[in-house]
Amino acid sequence: MKIKGVRWIVIGLIMLVTVINYLDRGTLNYMWVANIDYRLVSETEARNVKGNRAVLEGRQYILTAANGKKNFIEASAVQLKEKEGVTFVTNREGIAIDLGLIDRNDPDASQKAKDLLGWITIFFMIAYGISQLVSGKLYDKIGCRKGFFWSVLVWGTADALASLSRGIFSLTCCRMMLGLGEAGPWPGTTKSNAEWFPQKERAFAQGLFGAAASIGSILAPIIILMLFIAFGWQVTFVVVGALGLIWLIPWLIVNKEGPKKHPWITKEERTYILSGQPEKELKSEDKGKSWGELLRVKKNWSVILGRFFLDPIWWMFVTFLPLYLADVFHLNIKEVAFSAWVPYVGAALGSVAGGWYSGWLIHRGHTVNYARKAAMLLGGLIIVPSILAAILSTSVPVAIFFMALVLGGFQFFITNLQTIPSDLHCGKSVGSLAGLGGTAAVLGTILAILFASYITNWILLFSLLSALVPLSLGAVFLTVGEIKQLDK
């Protein structure tokens, strides 16, 4: 059996599991603390109201959910808001509340929720960084087929097990296990694209991968919060975790071999892929370079330092955007669900556009060096003013629009930065350098989150992220020189 376009089926499956990846990592962030609105009614009216309702009794509110569950909260700890002539009481709910990690009556609950989520994320990122480093070598050694299998098996199981969490320790352990699994596809996809695509298509393929991450981020608030509202956080963890385990079935069926030996690939596609790869003349027994060998080459530091400075921008948005919208604009859980996805539409468009743009420049006769650098510079020029405009916005629609530009510019930039390992190296060195870059990105993110714990002002926190863009561009341009394949 021969199938045209096998390489697109492979990247399609990788895109699908990347969507699932972002659903899994978003479970905690979106269900950590959520604002739930209860209609304020009198004790008499409460008997006839079927939805969420609140009754003031003395100095506390009795909150009754649609399913009959009751909570008691001090009047001084709630937010009241008017909507279409109706008064609502906003109550904090979610994992942090249910596990007793945060007291909903605490006036400093918002800051404590931010700090505690930041610490859990740091442990997640530590595991994620270790995995980035190890996964690059692992994928180089066992190949992408087995590499993706083990990554998805670990993270899918971890997210499902999070439903059994009983406190901060068990929850953090599950998130660390999630991080160990979820990091693999990043160096893995760079390696897979180097195997399955000619050089002129790699940035576009990488852009599709980045777009899938954005699509996952688009779907995450809607799917996760709707599941949370309907079934609670425990069931949501199980359902989302199971998606990755189901994905393993088509992956093992489709991704049998690389393009050189795959039984389904046509002769024309095999020739097209291999003839466009700079590494085609290298011997297949190339073992790749060690970490020490990679670190001794100045050009490789463009990937390491570039990602160290740039990636915190993405992770700060992914981690804190739900809390930011709930805290600054007082959005309830449904309003967050139907607002938080919009910035990631910009990210998806920026990812595809960034890959297409550099490929278009190469097609028009420009060098890979010119194309990658031009795309990264343009992405940086989009990010900085958009961050400043977003944090100064006083309305939700305007802030969301500029956040979409921020993440769009980020993906435009990162898509080309993540392609550099395959522009500089070939074979088994690609995943290793991509893994080093991913580890540096994690270290930068951990430092950014630690720094964020000392800043209580959201505007100041996000405005400081804009300074990371010129640092990343400077690091890349000063170290990489000409982007071209290095001699073995």
Side-chain angles (χ1 to χ4, degrees):
M1 178 178 68
K2 300 294 182 181
I3 299 176
K4 293 183 178 180
V6 176
R7 69 189 188 282
W8 299 112
I9 298 176
V10 172
I11 190 64
L13 282 172
I14 290 176
M15 290 174 66
L16 177 59
V17 84
T18 305
V19 171
I20 297 172
N21 185 298
Y22 266 80
L23 290 177
D24 281 299
R25 74 177 59 187
T27 46
L28 181 67
N29 299 341
Y30 284 105
M31 298 190 296
W32 182 241
V33 175
N35 288 338
I36 306 294
D37 284 346
Y38 291 76
R39 181 177 178 179
L40 182 59
V41 296
S42 65
E43 189 173 349
T44 303
E45 294 173 324
R47 302 191 186 99
N48 301 318
V49 177
K50 296 182 179 180
N52 294 345
R53 53 203 182 274
V55 175
L56 179 62
E57 187 174 284
R59 295 183 177 181
Q60 68 176 6
Y61 286 97
I62 302 175
L63 308 179
T64 306
N67 60 9
K69 181 180 178 180
K70 290 188 177 183
N71 283 311
F72 300 87
I73 184 170
E74 296 176 8
S76 60
V78 304
Q79 295 174 348
L80 298 178
K81 65 180 182 180
E82 298 285 336
K83 187 176 181 181
E84 298 178 354
V86 178
T87 302
F88 290 90
V89 174
T90 300
N91 184 40
R92 296 185 183 94
E93 299 184 19
I95 296 172
I97 304 296
D98 289 349
L99 294 182
L101 304 177
I102 297 171
D103 182 0
R104 60 165 54 91
N105 291 305
D106 188 342
D108 295 325
S110 295
Q111 182 63 31
K112 290 180 179 178
K114 170 177 164 287
D115 292 344
L116 196 54
L117 178 61
W119 278 107
I120 295 175
T121 302
I122 284 173
F123 282 100
F124 166 84
M125 295 301 297
I126 290 172
Y128 191 89
I130 293 172
S131 182
Q132 281 271 11
L133 194 62
V134 175
S135 294
K137 281 290 185 184
L138 178 67
Y139 277 63
D140 281 339
K141 184 175 182 180
I142 67 176
C144 292
R145 184 176 190 265
K146 292 181 180 179
F148 271 94
F149 172 82
W150 286 109
S151 293
V152 178
L153 180 64
V154 169
W155 97 53
T157 303
D159 211 43
L161 287 176
S163 64
L164 303 177
S165 299
R166 293 295 178 267
I168 188 68
F169 179 77
S170 55
L171 182 61
T172 302
C173 287
C174 288
R175 294 303 286 186
M176 291 186 73
M177 183 178 173
L178 182 77
L180 288 174
E182 285 210 324
W186 270 253
T189 299
T190 302
K191 179 176 176 63
S192 180
N193 289 345
E195 293 175 354
W196 277 97
F197 289 87
Q199 188 175 34
K200 64 182 180 181
E201 288 184 350
R202 287 179 188 171
F204 182 69
Q206 196 73 30
L208 291 176
F209 167 68
S214 301
I215 292 171
S217 298
I218 291 169
L219 296 176
I222 300 173
I223 293 176
I224 292 170
L225 292 179
M226 291 303 100
L227 285 172
F228 174 63
I229 292 170
F231 304 108
W233 58 269
Q234 291 96 337
V235 173
T236 303
F237 272 127
V238 173
V239 171
V240 177
L243 294 177
L245 303 180
I246 295 171
W247 174 90
L248 290 173
I249 299 173
W251 174 254
L252 293 176
I253 294 174
V254 171
N255 195 17
K256 300 176 182 295
E257 291 279 358
K260 293 181 180 179
K261 299 180 180 180
H262 200 290
W264 297 354
I265 194 170
T266 64
K267 182 179 179 180
E268 292 77 12
E269 185 178 13
R270 179 184 291 114
T271 301
Y272 175 74
I273 293 171
L274 299 181
S275 64
Q277 294 181 338
E279 61 267 32
K280 66 181 185 297
E281 296 179 357
L282 294 178
K283 296 180 180 180
S284 59
E285 61 266 23
D286 172 30
K287 296 182 180 180
K289 297 179 175 63
S290 67
W291 289 328
E293 289 174 315
L294 291 171
L295 291 173
R296 284 194 292 269
V297 178
K298 181 180 178 181
K299 285 180 178 290
N300 294 333
W301 284 91
S302 63
V303 178
I304 297 169
L305 293 177
R307 294 200 61 187
F308 174 83
F309 289 117
L310 189 66
D311 275 65
I313 297 174
W314 176 265
W315 282 101
M316 294 294 280
F317 273 89
V318 169
T319 302
F320 294 122
L321 181 59
L323 278 178
Y324 175 79
L325 293 175
D327 193 30
V328 174
F329 295 105
H330 309 300
L331 301 188
N332 63 35
I333 187 170
K334 292 184 179 179
E335 291 167 338
V336 169
F338 290 98
S339 298
W341 63 272
V342 177
Y344 298 103
V345 173
L349 294 175
S351 184
V352 175
W356 170 85
Y357 179 68
S358 61
W360 176 75
L361 289 176
I362 294 172
H363 181 73
R364 288 180 63 86
H366 292 286
T367 63
V368 171
N369 177 65
Y370 178 90
R372 301 286 190 254
K373 289 180 178 178
M376 289 186 286
L377 181 59
L378 180 56
L381 291 174
I382 295 172
I383 297 172
V384 176
S386 298
I387 286 181
L388 299 177
I391 60 176
L392 294 176
S393 301
T394 56
S395 70
V396 176
V398 176
I400 290 294
F401 171 77
F402 282 110
M403 287 180 185
L405 288 180
V406 171
L407 297 189
F410 173 89
Q411 286 294 342
F412 202 99
F413 189 156
I414 198 71
T415 292
N416 287 275
L417 180 56
Q418 287 177 329
T419 309
I420 291 179
S422 63
D423 291 328
L424 298 178
H425 298 279
C426 60
K428 295 183 178 181
S429 297
V430 175
S432 298
L433 179 55
L436 286 171
T439 303
V442 167
L443 178 59
T445 301
I446 289 173
L447 293 176
I449 293 176
L450 285 172
F451 182 71
S453 65
Y454 294 97
I455 300 178
T456 59
N457 185 292
W458 285 108
I459 293 178
L460 178 59
L461 175 61
F462 281 106
S463 63
L464 290 174
L465 292 178
S466 61
L468 297 177
V469 176
L471 290 174
S472 180
L473 283 170
V476 173
F477 281 48
L478 290 174
T479 57
V480 76
E482 182 182 359
I483 300 175
K484 64 179 181 179
Q485 284 282 311
L486 295 171
D487 295 331
K488 185 178 177 183

